[in-house]
Amino acid sequence: MSTSAAFNTGIRYLRMHLHAPDGGRRAIGYLSQYGDILRVSFDEAYIADPGRPTLSLAYRGADEAATRAILASARDTRVSRSDGHWPSYFQNLLPEGHNRERLAQQRGCAADDEFELLAAAGHDLMGALEVEPVPTAEGIPDTVRHWHTALGLDVLEPGFVEMPVEDAAAIPGVVTKFSAVQDGRRYVVRRHGAAGSFILKLPSTRHPDLVDNEFTGYRLCGALGLDCAEASVIGRADADLPEQVRFEQILAVRRFDRTPEGGRIHMEEFAQVLQYEPRQKYGRGLAVDWPAMLRVLDRLSPNPVADVRECVRRIVAFILLGNSDAHLKNWALRYPDGVAPVLAPLYDPVCVAAFFEDVPAGDYGVNRAIDAKLRAFDWPALDALLRSAGLLRPARLMAIARDTVRQAQAEWPALLAQDGTPASVRRCVEARLAGGVALASLAS
């Protein structure tokens, strides 16, 4: 049990809303905590609506009856946990590392208090979800009371929940980052309650060239015609940050879950889709579940051919780039109409393999192991992957993958020679293009 929960014997709860593409907002249910039990309770109207906006594909069954059974379940782990943690969809909304510690400090709660962390950042979460406390004077909502008493709990009184911290945000990931809005030419973190439209990503003392590394990744992937998030390098003077930062460069990434007018577009990471907890983001056995991702796009996207091709091309590009951090939290879906999923733009294209030069051999153990698999991943392995996903015309996708390799070999060397490319990235990617990975050596 978290520190905060230990001193709060009442039931705490938050109202859940999903913003619509047209700017409206719909209440869909509650999030509640009683001791170590954390629960999602959906409104009856949301459960009964076959045209409901999508919260997550994790809550969608094989048919409408199965979906309603999941949403109305008492004990399904997608809606209820008794170990002090949220179900995996909501766990993946929370930040990690320094970002999590900063959010806990802003809230004045323990870093393991997942209820309070979500409540603190409830006005600026990933996607179109927003959560906020309900005045205790209104009493415990019947939906919340029903499900907790159904578990045999004696729910007596509501617990107090503070309003969200004004400028807090929950941006998943480990790299230090801030949610910001643009005010003229400046990027402002003090948003006065507004949801951020940009993510500001900082380098680290260990990797001061991280911004240049990632921006190079965006340039390389963009040159292949991949659908990338919009990113730019800005100076420290262009950003109004809440703390002193020693670095002169910051990566500003426009959020694709926000409209130019500041509206919200729903999205979710594949870790949420496939119900992996954050600690499992690299998949089971250090293998990201690419076949499952491709099956989702092939069967549920309104643009399956384009999304499957884009996904396959990104897999090839990441192998050539040395991006061994393309885990399940770095692939996402967007819901432009609020219901149907499409592949979200590419983000976090970091050449992690370039970092191996600057750290002891024992560091980045997980990434080194993944990179060894990526370097050995050959054309028969790609063919087997496409067939295991049950895709039509795998031969056509194989041809597209080979064309992607040839395009990278033709266009990337000139881009790597440009100013701003870290020398370690240049050496790493050039070696991979020249045959340092199996896909490159067998491309012709």
Side-chain angles (χ1 to χ4, degrees):
M1 183 185 300
S2 70
T3 303
S4 299
F7 294 99
N8 194 327
T9 58
I11 184 168
R12 301 189 290 174
Y13 47 90
L14 301 163
R15 193 66 163 130
M16 287 193 296
H17 298 86
L18 271 178
H19 287 253
D22 62 6
R25 191 177 81 152
R26 175 176 175 176
I28 64 169
Y30 293 90
L31 299 171
S32 57
Q33 179 185 41
Y34 189 72
D36 275 347
I37 297 174
L38 277 76
R39 175 166 183 90
V40 187
S41 304
F42 292 100
D43 290 351
E44 290 184 6
Y46 182 76
I47 296 172
D49 180 7
R52 70 185 70 81
T54 301
L55 175 64
S56 171
L57 294 184
Y59 294 103
R60 185 182 296 183
D63 53 30
E64 178 61 17
T67 297
R68 295 186 182 191
I70 294 169
L71 297 174
S73 175
R75 297 183 182 275
D76 192 303
T77 56
R78 285 169 284 192
V79 299
S80 183
R81 295 273 294 260
S82 59
D83 59 358
H85 296 290
W86 285 119
S88 59
Y89 172 83
F90 294 92
Q91 279 192 52
N92 280 294
L93 291 174
L94 298 175
E96 303 166 80
H98 173 71
N99 301 303
R100 189 184 188 103
E101 294 170 2
R102 186 175 69 246
L103 180 59
Q105 185 177 28
Q106 289 175 307
R107 188 62 164 185
C109 70
D112 65 345
D113 190 337
E114 295 185 4
F115 181 94
E116 282 293 342
L117 292 175
L118 198 61
H123 285 166
D124 197 354
L125 302 171
M126 177 176 61
L129 180 67
E130 186 175 21
V131 303
E132 57 191 6
V134 180
T136 55
E138 296 183 10
I140 301 172
D142 290 340
T143 300
V144 175
R145 183 186 296 275
H146 166 73
W147 287 117
H148 283 271
T149 54
L151 295 174
L153 302 173
D154 185 15
V155 180
L156 298 177
E157 60 183 18
F160 175 72
V161 182
E162 295 180 4
M163 291 297 291
V165 177
E166 184 176 71
D167 293 324
I171 306 173
V174 176
V175 173
T176 300
K177 58 186 73 171
F178 296 91
S179 181
V181 294
Q182 198 167 18
D183 183 7
R185 298 182 62 180
R186 288 179 62 77
Y187 296 82
V188 182
V189 172
R190 295 178 178 86
R191 307 180 308 283
H192 304 294
S197 298
F198 290 84
I199 295 174
L200 305 183
K201 303 181 69 173
L202 275 59
S204 66
T205 303
R206 194 179 199 194
H207 299 300
D209 63 352
L210 177 59
V211 166
D212 284 335
N213 182 317
E214 184 168 343
F215 188 65
T216 297
Y218 275 113
R219 287 194 292 112
L220 296 178
C221 291
L224 298 179
L226 299 176
D227 179 22
C228 298
E230 180 184 325
S232 59
V233 178
I234 65 172
R236 171 67 183 86
D238 297 322
D240 180 15
L241 298 176
E243 55 191 62
Q244 292 298 317
V245 175
R246 70 182 67 181
F247 305 105
E248 290 302 317
Q249 288 189 323
I250 297 170
L251 188 70
V253 182
R254 184 182 290 276
R255 294 179 63 160
F256 51 73
D257 60 341
R258 303 289 186 254
T259 67
E261 299 74 31
R264 310 187 193 206
I265 301 171
H266 198 47
M267 64 164 286
E268 63 174 323
E269 303 162 344
F270 266 99
Q272 295 169 300
V273 174
L274 303 178
Q275 300 176 62
Y276 283 77
E277 295 183 13
R279 60 185 175 82
Q280 302 169 320
K281 64 185 179 182
Y282 290 101
R284 298 181 178 91
L286 301 182
V288 172
D289 200 345
W290 286 331
M293 292 167 50
L294 289 165
R295 281 192 291 271
V296 168
L297 297 172
D298 185 51
R299 298 172 187 178
L300 299 177
S301 169
N303 307 305
V305 173
D307 277 352
V308 166
R309 288 181 177 180
E310 173 82 8
C311 186
V312 170
R313 297 187 75 226
R314 288 186 197 178
I315 290 171
V316 172
F318 288 161
I319 291 173
L320 297 175
L321 180 62
N323 182 10
S324 59
D325 209 42
H327 48 65
L328 289 167
K329 292 179 69 63
N330 283 341
W331 293 82
L333 297 173
R334 282 173 88 240
Y335 296 85
D337 66 355
V339 178
V342 298
L343 185 63
L346 178 156
Y347 57 100
D348 286 3
V350 178
C351 177
V352 179
F355 296 154
F356 301 163
E357 290 186 10
D358 303 323
V359 298
D363 288 5
Y364 283 102
V366 170
N367 294 97
R368 290 177 190 271
I370 293 172
D371 191 57
K373 291 186 175 183
L374 296 181
R375 284 187 280 109
F377 190 80
D378 56 16
W379 293 105
L382 179 59
D383 183 67
L385 184 156
L386 299 176
R387 294 182 186 280
S388 69
L391 301 176
L392 297 176
R393 301 184 67 190
R396 175 58 182 154
L397 292 171
M398 289 288 288
I400 289 170
R402 290 180 184 274
D403 286 343
T404 302
V405 174
R406 295 188 185 99
Q407 185 180 1
Q409 289 174 326
E411 298 186 17
W412 281 10
L415 292 173
L416 290 168
Q418 291 182 2
D419 292 341
T421 302
S424 58
V425 173
R426 183 182 302 116
R427 289 190 295 269
C428 177
V429 178
E430 286 179 345
R432 297 169 90 90
L433 293 175
V437 296
L439 289 187
S441 61
L442 297 176
S444 59

